[in-house]
Amino acid sequence: MKWVVCGLVAVALIAGSPATAGDVDFRPIDTKKLVVKPSKVAANLAAGTINLVGQQAAGSLENNGYIKTINNLFSIKRTEPRFQSGPSSLPSPNMYKSTTYKNYNTPVMPTSQPVIRR
């Protein structure tokens, strides 16, 4: 019974298809018809406007007293430690200029490694 139903469905699908391969009409889509190409002048004007608005907004926020107060209250002050943490009271090594000199003997990653076979 199920094969009869499947067969009828297949025949209905084949007979009910409205278009065959010969009925397809090929019309290429013109991709340049509705595309607006911006000019450099328009792009520069838009960029300048965005920069101007951003600078004005940032300037008004920086000059706002409430925002300055909030920033002063909740901002973290980053300072260099004067002493090492722990029981030692030695000064911090980054207080001395000699600890920031570049080392001339910096190892370089090897480009190849020789194969040793025994």
Side-chain angles (χ1 to χ4, degrees), residues 79-84 92 94-95:
T79 58
E80 292 290 326
R82 295 185 52 86
F83 297 98
Q84 293 183 10
S92 177
N94 51 3
M95 288 180 62

Side-chain angles (χ1 to χ4, degrees), residues 46-61:
T49 305
I50 291 170
N51 286 339
L52 179 67
V53 170
Q55 289 172 355
Q56 290 293 330
S60 66
L61 287 176

Side-chain angles (χ1 to χ4, degrees), residues 47-113:
T49 305
I50 291 170
N51 286 339
L52 179 67
V53 170
Q55 289 172 355
Q56 290 293 330
S60 66
L61 287 176
E62 286 178 1
N63 294 332
N64 190 338
Y66 293 113
I67 293 178
K68 280 185 178 180
T69 304
I70 291 170
N71 285 340
N72 288 336
L73 288 175
F74 296 111
S75 65
I76 298 173
K77 311 281 189 291
R78 297 189 189 267
T79 58
E80 292 290 326
R82 295 185 52 86
F83 297 98
Q84 293 183 10
S85 61
S88 173
S89 61
L90 292 174
S92 177
N94 51 3
M95 288 180 62
Y96 301 101
K97 221 177 211 346
S98 64
T99 59
T100 61
Y101 293 153
K102 291 284 186 188
N103 188 356
Y104 70 91
N105 193 14
T106 306
V108 181
M109 184 68 109
T111 56
S112 65
Q113 185 173 359

Side-chain angles (χ1 to χ4, degrees), residues 36-51:
V36 177
K37 296 180 183 177
S39 65
K40 287 184 180 181
V41 175
N44 290 339
L45 181 65
T49 305
I50 291 170
N51 286 339

